[in-house]
Amino acid sequence: MRVLVTGGAGFIGGHAVERLAARGDQVVVFDSLAAHKEPPPLPDGVELIVGDLRDERALERAVEGVDAVCHQAARVGLGVDFDDVGDYVADNDGGTANLLRALWRRSFTGRLVVASSMVVYGEGRYRCPDHGDVRAAPRDREDLDNGRFEPRCPHCGADLAWAPVDEDARLDPRNVYAATKVQTEHLSFLYGRESGARVCALRYHNVYGPRMPRDTPYAGVASIFRSALESGSAPRVFEDGRQTRDFVHVHDVARANLLALDGDWTGACNIASGEPRSVGDMARALAADSGLESVVTGEYRLGDVRHIVAAPDLAAEALGFRAETGFAEGMRAFANDPLRD
């Protein structure tokens, strides 16, 4: 199988490329290399096309003769502030549109696997003791300033308990990056309906592991904590550290991409470990052997969500995917894993 991997020199894309090449697929990597100080090493036999998703000629060359596409290229993370909106929309939605147009022009009807994210859900699923399932309202700055981090029931004001969110949940993006991932999904599924291509969107939860990008304004919290420890500083945990997430290892995420590329199932799937932990748990696990203790700061970012935990059942049923790396094992390794500059 000839597979195009956009963003294939990046974090998740690079691990997927290694697995594809190891099993004998022909792999074409399309990457701007803008996030790299120097070109990263790729497995023998992998073709690298340097270009970004605005380059029509480079895209035409990249999609030629491919049987499947693994679309990982994106501007990731929460960003700095709303001033990033143009760059996020151009890179994520405009870039996806350009890729889909290139595929349309060559009448591509093969397998398309698209990287999405748990951020499309906004806040996760919540239950009130008296009112059952309710939707959490957008976070209020006054509450956050006063250390009230838990979402409250819109009917009675009681604190809500989180519950796993499944793929049928309403999409409710609460930051710019999240909005672009919703649009990326919609454009891709529209392409599938128009072309007959089989499209699967993988909604990654908090991915971590070797070669994760080093601390930047766009890095995930795992990378930020890991970078702090490497520099001899204690991880700074926002809010009260009790925010709940699902941390899933990049080796599992890469394997999920191959399962999706090989399968016929269409739709969106959560890609998660099924082992929820708090952000404070993660900071403590990473710092366990460092002699440092994480610091809970009470700071917050308005665009963050409080609790978002996946229901992993559909991925198991539709793709045969179950995470294999447990939280304790993965964090122990990640404390010493190399990061990407």
Side-chain angles (χ1 to χ4, degrees):
M1 181 165 67
R2 184 173 174 84
V3 185
L4 168 64
V5 183
T6 70
F11 175 41
I12 297 171
H15 285 278
V17 165
E18 288 177 350
R19 285 178 175 258
L20 288 165
R23 73 178 194 179
D25 288 310
Q26 280 187 293
V27 184
V28 179
V29 167
F30 185 87
D31 200 297
S32 70
L33 301 183
H36 302 266
K37 291 182 177 178
E38 56 185 43
L42 294 172
D44 291 342
V46 171
E47 179 183 356
L48 172 63
I49 298 175
V50 179
D52 65 36
L53 292 172
R54 293 169 292 185
D55 188 336
E56 280 195 30
R57 289 189 178 180
L59 276 172
E60 287 175 4
R61 179 181 161 205
V63 302
E64 186 62 35
V66 299
D67 304 299
V69 177
C70 183
H71 179 34
Q72 303 294 319
R75 181 181 290 263
V76 300
L78 191 59
V80 177
D81 54 36
F82 199 82
D83 196 54
D84 288 331
V85 63
D87 292 334
Y88 271 92
V89 172
D91 288 352
N92 295 355
D93 298 335
T96 296
N98 291 338
L99 171 65
L100 297 175
R101 181 172 57 192
L103 293 171
W104 177 262
R105 288 175 174 174
R106 63 140 293 203
S107 302
F108 174 82
T109 59
R111 185 62 158 160
L112 172 60
V113 174
V114 179
S116 186
S117 170
M118 54 90 175
V119 297
V120 300
Y121 299 120
E123 284 286 352
R125 183 181 175 194
Y126 290 96
R127 290 176 177 164
C128 171
D130 295 323
H131 296 96
D133 279 6
V134 297
R135 292 201 65 79
R139 307 182 88 186
D140 180 78
R141 193 180 293 277
E142 182 179 351
D143 280 346
L144 298 172
D145 284 339
N146 287 285
R148 295 191 295 267
F149 301 118
E150 291 295 339
R152 291 179 289 178
C153 176
H155 306 295
C156 66
D159 283 351
L160 299 173
W162 65 263
V165 61
D166 63 26
E167 291 82 354
D168 291 330
R170 192 181 83 181
L171 304 186
D172 185 20
R174 299 197 175 188
N175 57 60
V176 169
Y177 171 63
T180 66
K181 297 311 282 186
V182 171
Q183 181 72 347
T184 290
E185 283 195 21
H186 286 171
L187 289 171
S188 300
F189 288 127
L190 282 169
Y191 177 83
R193 287 193 286 273
E194 292 284 334
S195 68
R198 296 164 293 116
V199 180
C200 179
L202 302 182
R203 292 174 179 166
Y204 305 149
H205 285 247
N206 288 68
V207 186
Y208 71 97
R211 306 202 304 270
M212 193 174 188
R214 198 175 291 278
D215 185 7
T216 76
Y218 307 95
V221 65
S223 173
I224 292 170
F225 289 173
R226 171 70 174 74
S227 296
L229 289 166
E230 192 172 60
S231 68
S233 301
R236 294 176 59 81
V237 181
F238 280 14
E239 301 183 22
D240 58 4
R242 296 175 184 167
Q243 314 90 299
T244 315
R245 299 290 188 268
D246 185 301
F247 299 98
V248 57
H249 198 275
V250 69
H251 291 166
D252 285 321
V253 174
R255 186 168 50 83
N257 273 276
L258 269 66
L259 289 169
L261 285 166
D262 292 341
D264 291 320
W265 193 83
T266 60
C269 273
N270 290 326
I271 301 300
S273 70
E275 193 179 354
R277 289 288 189 275
S278 74
V279 173
D281 288 340
M282 184 193 66
R284 286 187 289 272
L286 281 178
D289 296 326
S290 69
L292 297 168
E293 291 188 9
S294 57
V295 178
V296 177
T297 70
E299 297 171 86
Y300 66 85
R301 297 191 299 183
L302 193 62
D304 278 339
V305 298
R306 179 63 174 173
H307 304 292
I308 177 70
V309 173
D313 310 279
L314 181 60
E317 177 185 342
L319 305 178
F321 171 76
R322 292 176 178 82
E324 296 176 348
T325 304
F327 177 82
E329 171 195 356
M331 288 298 165
R332 192 179 307 114
F334 186 53
N336 297 294
D337 281 336
L339 300 179
R340 189 190 79 205
D341 290 320

